[in-house]
Each structure stands twice: as C-alpha cells, then as structure tokens.
C-alpha cells in the first residue's frame, strides 16, 4: 500500500548475499539515513546519517565468529550426543521449547488464525496420530503467522522451523507414552539434525526451511522409538528426496500448509525407512552416504536456488 501511494519504493538488490536489506530514509529537513544488514537478521553492517558513518562492517564481528562451531555435526555424532548428553545442561531450554510451542499450537487449534490449516486437518482428515502431528505443527504456524503474540522457541533462526521440529515429536511421545528423558533426547537429535542441514543451506534461501525442520522431527520420532542408525539415515534421505523442491516465498499464512506437507513427508519417510525402503544412490540428488546427500541438498538450496530467490522477490514486489 505504501509503494502504491508513492510513499516509498522497493526493488531487488542484485549481486549481493541472499540475506541483504538496505534502507534509505530522508526526512522533511533533507537529512538522509542508510541502514544495512547482511548474512544474519541482527548483523548490522552499515548505519550512516548524512555523511557520518555510525556503524560499518569493520565494527561488527562476522557471523562466522559469533556462531557455534558446527564442524563436528554429522548424523552419527548427533545421535551419539543425544544418547550421552547431560540433560541438566539443556533441560530448561528443551522444556521451554515444548511448553511455548505447544501453547501456541493449542491457540491455533482453538481459534481461527490465518488459513486455519491445523483446524482444517482435524475437521476433515480424522484424528489419527499422523494427522494430529501435522495439525499440531500447522496450527502453531497458523497462530504465529496470524499475529498471535505468544512466544516460540526457534530453530536455525526460525519460529516456524522450531514449531515443525517440536510438535510432531510431542504428539508421538504422548501416543507411545515416552518418558520425558527419552523425549528430550529425541528433541536434541531433531534440533541438531535440522541445524546440521542448515549449516550447508545458509541463513536464507528459496529452499523452504520446513523441509529441513520436518526431516529433523522425523529423526526425533525414529530416535524416540529406538530405531537404529540405518533407519534414521533412510528417514532423512526419504524426506529430503520427497520435498526438497518446496520453495520459500516469505513468512505468511501458507507456511502452515507447507509445514503440514513437510511433516507428512517426514512421517512417510520414516514409515518407509523402518520397512527397509528408501531412495537409492542415483535417484536424483540422492547419492551414496547420508552426509553426501545432505551436502547435495545444501548445494541445491544455497547455490542452485539463487536465481529462484531473485525471481520470487521480483514477483513479490511486482517488478
């Protein structure tokens, strides 16, 4: 509306990082301000008033310096860590993830937020476990994208991804009467599996983050139900081979539907995996070895979808 009224202009910046925003403001007295972020939403790389530079890139620590070291992340290491981690180190964080994310999910199920994807699933698709898992995650996004002010515990910088990881695991834990300790260890495996995939994808991509999050959730479900390493690897492969092409076109109501589809793909991927069924080396971007397949997906999302990202933004701003 502001663009249509001539209040401001909006255009695509080409040849820059995937996450790049630069804003130029001019007040009634003619003073000019420029603000810029790169790579991460809180990484301010330029703040300038008229000709005075208040913050420059040299004054800000690089995102690589501020992020945790992820070099040791692999599926094998993640599962070993989930087995032996001292839960006292992470119990408060994980319990808060369950408490907050379940609360906003219930809000989305009880009230008509957004496109009401979660409520629609329960109204028309039954009340079986698979449907409940999808609906719980979708309803959290319905509420969040619909303006609900309740807090969400994130994953990889995304509230929707935090919801996608958490809620299916909670539903399966309730159904199978899983102990709190086992569920928390499953959440460790799920959260880190998603982070592991995102380390190749980057902070922002045209690749929908619900895919990596639902894959992490499916890993958590498999782990919680005592499935071995090979089943978990097949679960990951099956999930990302199925929905690896789903695009991100911003945060809005349809995220809830994408989350529901991603969770469904993760659950189907797990069901296939425990029957010994999986997509093999040479099936599209799937290759031999789970780590190689995860890297392939990261390459597709980070490098292969750069032009897709530009086109999506161009469509969204009407250029």
């Amino acid at each position: 509306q502001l663009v249509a009224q001539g209040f401001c202009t909006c255009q695509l910046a080409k040849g820059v990082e995937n996450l790049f925003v630069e804003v130029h403001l001019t007040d009634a007295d003619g003073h000019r301000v420029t603000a810029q972020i790169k790579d991460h939403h809180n990484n301010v790389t330029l703040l300038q008033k008229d000709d005075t530079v208040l913050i420059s890139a040299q004054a800000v620590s690089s995102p690589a310096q501020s992020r945790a070291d992820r070099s040791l992340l692999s599926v094998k290491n993640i599962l070993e860590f989930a087995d032996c981690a001292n839960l006292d180190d992470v119990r408060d964080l994980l319990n808060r993830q369950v408490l907050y994310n379940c609360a906003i999910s219930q809000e989305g199920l009880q009230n008509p937020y957004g496109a009401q994807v979660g409520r629609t699933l329960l109204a028309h698709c039954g009340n079986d476990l698979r449907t409940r898992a999808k609906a719980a995650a979708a309803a959290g996004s319905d509420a969040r994208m619909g303006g609900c002010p309740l807090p969400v515990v994130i994953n990889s910088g995304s509230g929707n991804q935090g919801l996608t990881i958490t809620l299916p695991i909670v539903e399966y834990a309730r159904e199978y009467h899983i102990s709190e300790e086992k569920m928390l260890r499953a959440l460790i495996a799920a959260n880190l599996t998603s982070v592991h995939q995102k380390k190749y994808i980057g902070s922002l991509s045209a690749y929908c983050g619900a895919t990596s999050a639902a894959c992490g959730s499916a890993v958590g479900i498999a782990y919680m139900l005592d499935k071995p390493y090979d089943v978990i690897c097949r679960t990951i492969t099956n999930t990302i081979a199925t929905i690896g092409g789903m695009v991100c076109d911003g945060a809005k109501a349809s995220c809830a539907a994408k989350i529901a589809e991603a969770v469904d793909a993760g659950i189907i991927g797990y069901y296939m995996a425990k029957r010994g069924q999986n997509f093999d080396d040479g099936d599209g971007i799937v290759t031999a070895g789970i780590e190689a397949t995860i890297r392939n997906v990261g390459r597709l999302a980070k490098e292969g979808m750069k032009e897709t990202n530009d086109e999506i933004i161009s469509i969204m701003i009407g250029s």
Side-chain angles (χ1 to χ4, degrees):
Q1 290 174 340
L2 292 175
V3 171
Q5 294 167 9
F7 179 85
C8 62
T9 61
C10 184
Q11 61 191 36
L12 173 65
K14 295 186 177 180
V16 297
E17 293 83 353
N18 273 356
L19 200 165
F20 176 93
V21 180
E22 188 171 278
V23 179
H24 302 268
L25 300 174
T26 304
D27 69 12
D29 296 323
H31 292 293
R32 295 169 289 107
V33 173
T34 299
Q36 180 189 89
I37 61 172
K38 293 181 182 178
D39 297 319
H40 289 266
H41 295 88
N42 60 353
N43 185 40
V44 179
T45 50
L46 177 65
L47 189 61
Q48 181 173 336
K49 180 179 180 181
D50 295 326
D51 295 325
T52 303
V53 176
L54 305 176
I55 295 177
S56 68
Q58 289 73 28
V60 179
S61 62
S62 70
Q65 292 174 330
S66 60
R67 288 203 308 264
D69 179 11
R70 301 177 181 179
S71 61
L72 292 179
L73 287 179
S74 68
V75 176
K76 182 174 183 294
N77 287 350
I78 288 169
L79 297 176
E80 289 180 355
F81 178 72
D83 284 340
C84 67
N86 183 353
L87 286 182
D88 289 339
D89 293 337
V90 293
R91 190 184 304 277
D92 288 346
L93 173 62
L94 295 175
N95 280 335
R96 189 160 60 249
Q97 185 176 39
V98 172
L99 178 66
Y100 286 7
N101 294 0
C102 285
I104 197 170
S105 173
Q106 282 302 305
E107 182 73 10
L109 288 173
Q110 292 169 4
N111 297 286
Y113 284 98
Q116 302 183 53
V117 176
R119 286 158 62 95
T120 300
L121 284 167
L122 292 181
H124 294 281
C125 299
N127 195 44
D128 61 282
L129 176 58
R130 180 172 150 195
T131 300
R132 295 200 309 272
K134 293 159 55 178
S141 181
D142 283 326
R144 184 169 181 266
M145 297 294 93
C148 177
L150 289 175
V152 170
V153 174
I154 67 172
N155 181 280
S156 302
S158 165
N160 278 339
Q161 290 174 52
L163 293 167
T164 305
I165 287 168
T166 311
L167 292 158
I169 290 174
V170 172
E171 286 297 324
Y172 271 75
R174 289 170 177 167
E175 177 75 12
Y176 287 96
H177 306 290
I178 302 297
S179 69
E180 180 190 45
E181 176 176 339
K182 189 70 173 181
M183 184 185 72
L184 294 182
R185 293 191 183 279
L187 284 167
I188 291 174
N191 279 290
L192 289 179
T193 298
S194 183
V195 170
H196 179 33
Q197 294 171 79
K198 293 289 286 188
K199 81 179 183 185
Y200 297 112
I201 295 170
S203 302
L204 196 67
S205 168
Y207 182 93
C208 180
T211 302
S212 51
C215 183
S217 188
V219 165
I221 291 169
Y223 176 91
M224 192 165 57
L225 299 178
D226 295 319
K227 302 306 176 188
Y229 172 76
D230 62 322
V231 170
I232 289 174
C233 289
R234 289 198 296 268
T235 298
I236 295 171
T237 298
N238 291 342
T239 304
I240 57 182
T242 302
I243 52 167
M246 189 158 63
V247 299
C248 172
D249 53 346
K252 70 283 175 228
S254 66
C255 289
K258 294 183 180 185
I259 286 171
E261 291 303 308
V263 170
D264 194 58
I267 293 172
I268 292 172
Y270 162 62
Y271 290 165
M272 290 172 59
K274 70 178 184 176
R275 288 166 56 90
Q277 299 165 338
N278 61 277
F279 302 114
D280 294 318
D281 178 21
D283 286 346
I285 60 174
V286 175
T287 192
I290 187 58
E291 299 302 331
T293 296
I294 290 173
R295 286 194 297 270
N296 283 353
V297 172
R299 176 182 170 187
L300 168 69
K302 187 173 184 178
E303 305 299 333
M305 299 184 82
K306 281 183 177 179
E307 291 188 18
T308 303
N309 193 59
D310 287 351
E311 287 301 319
I312 289 172
I313 295 173
S314 293
I315 292 168
M316 289 171 65
I317 64 176
S319 64

